[in-house]
C-alpha cells in the first residue's frame, strides 16, 4: 500500500515539476504513475491533500539526497566544498530537474497556502544546519547566516537554470567566489 502511495507522490512531483501547478490533477497524476484512474483520489481526497502529501514526500526525497551528498563529500577545504555544492546544484537542475521545479512551484503555492510554509521551512533548516557545520569548520564567523546566503544563491542559480537552461551550466565560479567572500 505504501509503495503505491509513493508511486503516486513521485508522479505528482513529476507532473508538478514538469507541467506546472495547473496541470496537477488526479487524472494527470494517475496517468504519470501508470495506475488505474481514481487511484490518486483514493489516497488524497482533494487537491490540497495531494499537495500536502507532495510537500512531505519531497522533503523525504531531498533529505535523502542531501544525506547522501553530505556522506560522500567530506570536503577538506572551501574549494572542495564549492565543488560539492556545484555537483549538487548540477544534479538538482539536471537529473532532478522536475523535483527542483516542483519545490519552486510549492514555494509559490505557499504564498496562497501559508500552512505549507512550516514543512518547507523545516526541510531547508535541516540542510542549512549541515551546511553551517561545514562553513564553521572552514572559518565562517556566522555559519548559519552564511549558509542561508549560500542557499539563497543556490536557489537563485537553480531557478535561473530551470527558467533559462544553459547547456554549459557551471555554477562553480559563482559558488567559489561567494564562499571566498563569506569565509575571508
Amino acid at each position: 500500500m505504501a509503495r503505491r502511495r509513493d508511486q503516486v507522490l513521485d508522479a505528482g512531483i513529476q507532473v508538478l515539476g514538469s507541467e506546472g501547478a495547473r496541470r496537477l490533477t488526479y487524472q494527470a497524476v494517475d496517468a504519470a504513475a501508470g495506475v488505474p484512474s481514481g487511484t490518486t483520489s483514493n489516497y488524497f481526497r482533494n487537491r490540497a491533500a495531494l499537495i500536502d502529501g507532495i510537500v512531505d514526500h519531497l522533503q523525504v526525497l531531498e533529505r535523502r539526497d542531501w544525506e547522501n551528498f553530505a556522506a560522500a563529500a567530506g570536503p577538506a577545504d572551501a574549494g572542495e566544498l564549492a565543488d560539492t555544492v556545484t555537483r549538487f546544484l548540477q544534479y538538482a537542475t539536471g537529473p532532478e530537474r522536475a523535483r527542483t521545479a516542483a519545490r519552486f512551484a510549492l514555494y509559490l503555492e505557499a504564498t496562497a497556502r501559508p500552512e505549507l510554509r512550516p514543512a518547507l521551512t523545516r526541510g531547508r533548516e535541516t540542510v542549512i544546519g549541515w551546511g553551517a557545520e561545514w562553513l564553521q569548520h572552514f572559518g565562517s564567523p556566522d555559519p548559519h547566516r552564511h549558509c542561508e546566503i549560500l542557499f539563497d544563491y543556490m536557489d537563485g542559480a537553480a531557478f535561473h537554470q530551470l527558467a533559462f537552461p544553459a547547456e554549459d551550466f557551471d555554477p562553480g565560479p559563482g559558488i567559489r567566489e561567494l564562499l571566498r567572500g563569506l569565509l575571508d
Side-chain angles (χ1 to χ4, degrees), residues 1 28 35 43 59-60 69 74-75 81 87 99 103 105 107-108 112 114 119 123 128 134 136 138 155 163 165 179 184:
M1 195 78 139
V35 297
Y43 288 105
Q59 297 300 316
V60 168
F69 265 86
L81 176 60
R87 280 192 308 276
R99 188 190 310 165
R103 181 169 40 86
Y107 288 171
L108 292 175
I128 285 175
W134 283 342
Q136 182 176 20
F138 298 129
D155 278 348
L179 284 174
D184 284 347

Short mmCIF file of all heavy atoms in Angstrom, two decimals, residues 1 28 35 43 59-60 69 74-75 81 87 99 103 105 107-108 112 114 119 123 128 134 136 138 155 163 165 179 184:
data_model
loop_
_atom_site.label_atom_id
_atom_site.label_comp_id
_atom_site.label_asym_id
_atom_site.label_seq_id
_atom_site.Cartn_x
_atom_site.Cartn_y
_atom_site.Cartn_z
N MET A 1 0.82 -1.19 0.00
CA MET A 1 0.00 0.00 0.00
C MET A 1 0.87 1.26 0.00
O MET A 1 0.63 2.17 -0.77
CB MET A 1 -0.92 -0.02 1.22
CG MET A 1 -2.03 0.96 1.13
SD MET A 1 -3.30 0.33 0.07
CE MET A 1 -4.75 0.78 0.91
N ALA A 28 -3.95 13.53 -14.35
CA ALA A 28 -2.56 13.67 -14.79
C ALA A 28 -1.63 12.83 -13.92
O ALA A 28 -0.71 12.17 -14.43
CB ALA A 28 -2.13 15.13 -14.78
N VAL A 35 -1.12 4.17 -13.04
CA VAL A 35 -2.05 3.46 -12.15
C VAL A 35 -3.47 3.64 -12.68
O VAL A 35 -3.74 4.55 -13.47
CB VAL A 35 -1.93 3.98 -10.70
CG1 VAL A 35 -0.54 3.69 -10.14
CG2 VAL A 35 -2.26 5.47 -10.60
N TYR A 43 -6.14 8.03 -2.39
CA TYR A 43 -5.16 8.39 -1.36
C TYR A 43 -5.33 9.82 -0.87
O TYR A 43 -5.02 10.12 0.29
CB TYR A 43 -3.73 8.21 -1.90
CG TYR A 43 -3.33 6.77 -2.05
CD1 TYR A 43 -3.28 6.18 -3.31
CD2 TYR A 43 -3.02 6.00 -0.95
CE1 TYR A 43 -2.91 4.85 -3.46
CE2 TYR A 43 -2.66 4.66 -1.08
CZ TYR A 43 -2.61 4.10 -2.35
OH TYR A 43 -2.25 2.79 -2.48
N GLN A 59 10.15 16.46 0.86
CA GLN A 59 11.08 16.67 1.96
C GLN A 59 11.88 15.40 2.24
O GLN A 59 13.10 15.45 2.47
CB GLN A 59 10.34 17.12 3.23
CG GLN A 59 9.62 18.44 3.11
CD GLN A 59 10.53 19.59 2.77
OE1 GLN A 59 11.61 19.73 3.34
NE2 GLN A 59 10.12 20.41 1.84
N VAL A 60 11.21 14.26 2.21
CA VAL A 60 11.89 12.97 2.44
C VAL A 60 12.93 12.73 1.35
O VAL A 60 14.07 12.35 1.64
CB VAL A 60 10.86 11.82 2.49
CG1 VAL A 60 11.54 10.46 2.43
CG2 VAL A 60 10.00 11.94 3.75
N PHE A 69 24.77 13.14 -0.37
CA PHE A 69 25.82 14.05 -0.79
C PHE A 69 26.74 14.39 0.38
O PHE A 69 27.95 14.42 0.23
CB PHE A 69 25.23 15.32 -1.40
CG PHE A 69 25.12 15.27 -2.89
CD1 PHE A 69 24.02 14.71 -3.49
CD2 PHE A 69 26.14 15.75 -3.70
CE1 PHE A 69 23.91 14.64 -4.87
CE2 PHE A 69 26.05 15.69 -5.07
CZ PHE A 69 24.93 15.13 -5.66
N GLY A 74 32.48 15.14 2.48
CA GLY A 74 33.57 15.34 3.43
C GLY A 74 34.64 16.27 2.90
O GLY A 74 35.82 15.91 2.87
N PRO A 75 34.27 17.50 2.49
CA PRO A 75 35.26 18.40 1.90
C PRO A 75 36.36 18.76 2.89
O PRO A 75 36.12 18.96 4.06
CB PRO A 75 34.44 19.63 1.53
CG PRO A 75 33.21 19.57 2.36
CD PRO A 75 32.95 18.13 2.63
N LEU A 81 34.47 22.14 -0.88
CA LEU A 81 33.08 22.44 -0.55
C LEU A 81 32.39 23.07 -1.76
O LEU A 81 31.27 22.69 -2.11
CB LEU A 81 32.98 23.36 0.66
CG LEU A 81 31.58 23.81 1.04
CD1 LEU A 81 30.70 22.62 1.39
CD2 LEU A 81 31.64 24.79 2.21
N ARG A 87 28.39 20.30 -7.74
CA ARG A 87 27.87 19.00 -8.20
C ARG A 87 26.41 18.82 -7.78
O ARG A 87 25.59 18.34 -8.56
CB ARG A 87 28.72 17.85 -7.65
CG ARG A 87 29.99 17.61 -8.41
CD ARG A 87 30.67 16.29 -8.03
NE ARG A 87 30.88 16.13 -6.61
CZ ARG A 87 31.91 16.62 -5.93
NH1 ARG A 87 32.83 17.34 -6.55
NH2 ARG A 87 32.04 16.42 -4.64
N ARG A 99 12.01 17.62 -9.95
CA ARG A 99 11.84 17.72 -8.50
C ARG A 99 12.16 19.14 -8.02
O ARG A 99 11.45 19.69 -7.19
CB ARG A 99 12.72 16.71 -7.77
CG ARG A 99 12.39 16.68 -6.28
CD ARG A 99 13.34 15.90 -5.44
NE ARG A 99 13.63 14.57 -5.91
CZ ARG A 99 14.67 13.86 -5.45
NH1 ARG A 99 15.47 14.36 -4.53
NH2 ARG A 99 14.89 12.65 -5.90
N ARG A 103 9.63 21.86 -6.26
CA ARG A 103 9.88 22.57 -4.99
C ARG A 103 9.60 24.06 -5.16
O ARG A 103 8.94 24.68 -4.32
CB ARG A 103 11.32 22.35 -4.52
CG ARG A 103 11.62 23.06 -3.21
CD ARG A 103 12.94 22.66 -2.56
NE ARG A 103 14.04 22.47 -3.45
CZ ARG A 103 14.86 23.45 -3.88
NH1 ARG A 103 14.66 24.68 -3.48
NH2 ARG A 103 15.86 23.16 -4.67
N ALA A 105 7.59 25.38 -7.35
CA ALA A 105 6.14 25.51 -7.51
C ALA A 105 5.45 25.47 -6.14
O ALA A 105 4.48 26.20 -5.90
CB ALA A 105 5.60 24.42 -8.42
N TYR A 107 6.85 26.47 -3.34
CA TYR A 107 7.13 27.77 -2.71
C TYR A 107 6.07 28.78 -3.14
O TYR A 107 5.55 29.54 -2.31
CB TYR A 107 8.50 28.30 -3.10
CG TYR A 107 9.69 27.60 -2.49
CD1 TYR A 107 10.97 27.89 -2.94
CD2 TYR A 107 9.57 26.66 -1.48
CE1 TYR A 107 12.09 27.27 -2.40
CE2 TYR A 107 10.67 26.03 -0.94
CZ TYR A 107 11.94 26.34 -1.41
OH TYR A 107 13.03 25.72 -0.87
N LEU A 108 5.76 28.79 -4.41
CA LEU A 108 4.73 29.72 -4.90
C LEU A 108 3.36 29.36 -4.34
O LEU A 108 2.57 30.25 -4.00
CB LEU A 108 4.71 29.73 -6.43
CG LEU A 108 5.94 30.34 -7.09
CD1 LEU A 108 5.87 30.17 -8.60
CD2 LEU A 108 6.09 31.80 -6.72
N ALA A 112 -0.13 31.32 -1.30
CA ALA A 112 -1.59 31.26 -1.15
C ALA A 112 -2.01 30.35 0.00
O ALA A 112 -3.10 30.49 0.54
CB ALA A 112 -2.24 30.79 -2.45
N PRO A 114 -0.34 29.48 3.35
CA PRO A 114 0.74 29.64 4.33
C PRO A 114 0.97 28.40 5.19
O PRO A 114 2.07 28.24 5.74
CB PRO A 114 0.28 30.82 5.19
CG PRO A 114 -0.75 31.53 4.39
CD PRO A 114 -1.36 30.52 3.47
N ALA A 119 6.48 23.11 6.83
CA ALA A 119 7.13 21.90 6.30
C ALA A 119 8.26 22.27 5.34
O ALA A 119 9.34 21.68 5.39
CB ALA A 119 6.12 21.00 5.62
N GLY A 123 12.52 21.55 6.05
CA GLY A 123 13.45 20.91 5.13
C GLY A 123 14.67 21.78 4.87
O GLY A 123 15.81 21.32 4.91
N ILE A 128 20.43 23.56 6.01
CA ILE A 128 21.25 24.69 6.43
C ILE A 128 22.07 24.31 7.67
O ILE A 128 23.23 24.70 7.79
CB ILE A 128 20.39 25.95 6.68
CG1 ILE A 128 19.98 26.54 5.32
CG2 ILE A 128 21.14 26.99 7.51
CD1 ILE A 128 19.05 27.71 5.41
N TRP A 134 29.77 22.72 8.05
CA TRP A 134 30.92 22.81 7.14
C TRP A 134 31.50 24.22 7.14
O TRP A 134 32.72 24.38 7.22
CB TRP A 134 30.51 22.45 5.71
CG TRP A 134 30.36 20.97 5.46
CD1 TRP A 134 30.86 19.95 6.21
CD2 TRP A 134 29.67 20.38 4.37
NE1 TRP A 134 30.51 18.76 5.65
CE2 TRP A 134 29.79 18.98 4.51
CE3 TRP A 134 28.97 20.88 3.29
CZ2 TRP A 134 29.23 18.09 3.62
CZ3 TRP A 134 28.41 19.99 2.39
CH2 TRP A 134 28.54 18.61 2.56
N GLN A 136 31.36 26.50 9.41
CA GLN A 136 32.03 26.76 10.68
C GLN A 136 33.42 26.12 10.67
O GLN A 136 34.40 26.73 11.10
CB GLN A 136 31.20 26.22 11.84
CG GLN A 136 31.83 26.52 13.19
CD GLN A 136 30.93 26.07 14.33
OE1 GLN A 136 30.04 25.23 14.16
NE2 GLN A 136 31.16 26.62 15.50
N PHE A 138 35.30 25.65 8.22
CA PHE A 138 36.20 26.39 7.34
C PHE A 138 36.37 27.85 7.74
O PHE A 138 36.91 28.64 6.98
CB PHE A 138 35.73 26.28 5.88
CG PHE A 138 35.73 24.86 5.39
CD1 PHE A 138 34.61 24.33 4.78
CD2 PHE A 138 36.83 24.04 5.55
CE1 PHE A 138 34.59 23.02 4.34
CE2 PHE A 138 36.83 22.72 5.11
CZ PHE A 138 35.71 22.21 4.51
N ASP A 155 19.48 28.69 -4.70
CA ASP A 155 18.10 28.73 -5.19
C ASP A 155 17.99 29.64 -6.41
O ASP A 155 17.32 29.30 -7.38
CB ASP A 155 17.15 29.20 -4.09
CG ASP A 155 16.73 28.10 -3.15
OD1 ASP A 155 16.98 26.91 -3.43
OD2 ASP A 155 16.13 28.44 -2.09
N ALA A 163 14.55 28.11 -15.58
CA ALA A 163 13.79 29.01 -16.44
C ALA A 163 14.49 29.28 -17.77
O ALA A 163 13.84 29.41 -18.81
CB ALA A 163 13.52 30.33 -15.72
N PRO A 165 17.47 27.46 -19.37
CA PRO A 165 18.51 26.41 -19.35
C PRO A 165 19.71 26.73 -20.25
O PRO A 165 19.55 27.15 -21.39
CB PRO A 165 17.79 25.17 -19.87
CG PRO A 165 16.34 25.51 -19.92
CD PRO A 165 16.20 26.98 -19.87
N LEU A 179 31.76 31.80 -1.66
CA LEU A 179 32.38 31.20 -0.47
C LEU A 179 33.65 31.95 -0.06
O LEU A 179 33.90 32.13 1.13
CB LEU A 179 32.68 29.72 -0.72
CG LEU A 179 31.47 28.80 -0.67
CD1 LEU A 179 31.85 27.38 -1.09
CD2 LEU A 179 30.85 28.79 0.72
N ASP A 184 36.44 34.75 3.93
CA ASP A 184 37.63 35.60 4.11
C ASP A 184 37.39 36.67 5.12
O ASP A 184 36.37 37.14 5.41
CB ASP A 184 38.04 36.23 2.78
CG ASP A 184 38.73 35.20 1.88
OD1 ASP A 184 39.10 34.13 2.36
OD2 ASP A 184 38.86 35.50 0.66
#
